[in-house]
Amino acid sequence: MHAGALAALLSVHERAPAATEEALREHERITRSIHERTASLPARFGSLFVDADAARRALSERHDELAAALERVGGLVELAVTLSWRAPRPAPALQAASGRQYLEARAAGERDRRDAETIVERLLDELPCERAFTRHHICPRDGVAASVALLIRREEEIPVRGLVEAFGERSRDLAASVHGPLPPYSFAS
């Protein structure tokens, strides 16, 4: 389907598809396959339209915004970095027996957040990425200091991956894992 200079790929379903592991993996496989061939903006799983005309109208209404995003990030790839704590960090107490325990748990959580922020800053200082092309979430779940998204040119993947892995190997506090390259999910919206 086309709208102006943009094209979109659609699949037809009788009803909204369930977000099963199989369906999500298939969506990711198709999205990645497209992005490996041409500049693209990935659509999140579950974007639904009642029919092709509704999809075409939505594409037309957002044409300028989507064209600008495609120009900005369409030819780039995303590397997803997970910085995991090597040693378990105690989860904040949801039910504290006393005010003191509650405050100690909150203070420990704040220390973890500050430590994670410092680690992310150190990592980003070592990478050849512009800060405008990075996103991060601090302490998104137990055991994870941060998740970091890096928007890079395809040819930068191997060197950047090596820098991130070396950063994790040098750290006493955390391990670093790199996933991708992926379509620019974190940067497309």
Side-chain angles (χ1 to χ4, degrees):
M1 172 193 57
H2 293 275
L6 300 177
L9 297 175
L10 306 171
S11 57
V12 177
H13 298 273
E14 290 289 319
R15 62 181 99 46
T20 64
E21 181 178 349
E22 180 182 333
L24 293 170
R25 288 188 187 281
E26 179 66 5
H27 175 78
E28 196 279 330
R29 185 192 66 71
I30 292 168
T31 301
R32 185 185 297 231
S33 175
I34 293 164
H35 197 70
E36 287 171 353
R37 290 177 174 82
T38 189
S40 68
L41 295 175
R44 299 203 186 280
F45 179 85
S47 298
L48 301 174
F49 299 95
V50 295
D51 58 26
D53 287 336
R56 186 175 292 106
R57 279 191 305 277
L59 191 60
S60 293
E61 289 168 5
R62 295 187 59 205
H63 182 276
D64 293 347
E65 172 192 350
L66 293 171
L70 186 61
E71 178 69 27
R72 187 178 70 251
V73 303
L76 303 174
V77 296
E78 180 174 328
L79 287 183
V81 177
T82 303
L83 302 172
S84 303
W85 299 115
R86 290 193 189 275
R89 303 258 173 144
L94 297 177
Q95 297 289 333
S98 69
R100 178 185 177 130
Q101 285 179 335
Y102 172 79
L103 291 174
E104 288 172 348
R106 289 281 309 248
E110 284 304 311
R111 277 192 303 277
D112 287 350
R113 288 188 66 73
R114 281 194 311 274
D115 289 350
E117 288 171 356
T118 300
I119 289 166
V120 168
E121 288 301 316
R122 283 188 4 240
L123 171 65
L124 295 179
D125 285 344
E126 293 185 21
L127 299 178
C129 304
E130 293 182 41
R131 292 293 172 110
F133 295 119
T134 66
R135 305 279 188 275
H136 65 273
H137 298 285
I138 300 297
C139 301
R141 61 186 180 278
D142 286 344
V144 176
S147 59
V148 182
L150 307 170
L151 188 64
I152 61 172
R153 292 187 315 269
R154 290 179 193 277
E155 63 271 14
E156 295 175 317
E157 179 211 344
I158 293 172
V160 170
R161 179 183 295 275
L163 290 169
V164 171
E165 290 170 349
F167 180 85
E169 290 167 5
R170 290 191 316 270
S171 176
R172 292 177 297 123
D173 297 327
L174 59 92
S177 60
V178 183
H179 307 282
L182 307 165
Y185 284 106
S186 300
F187 301 88
S189 55

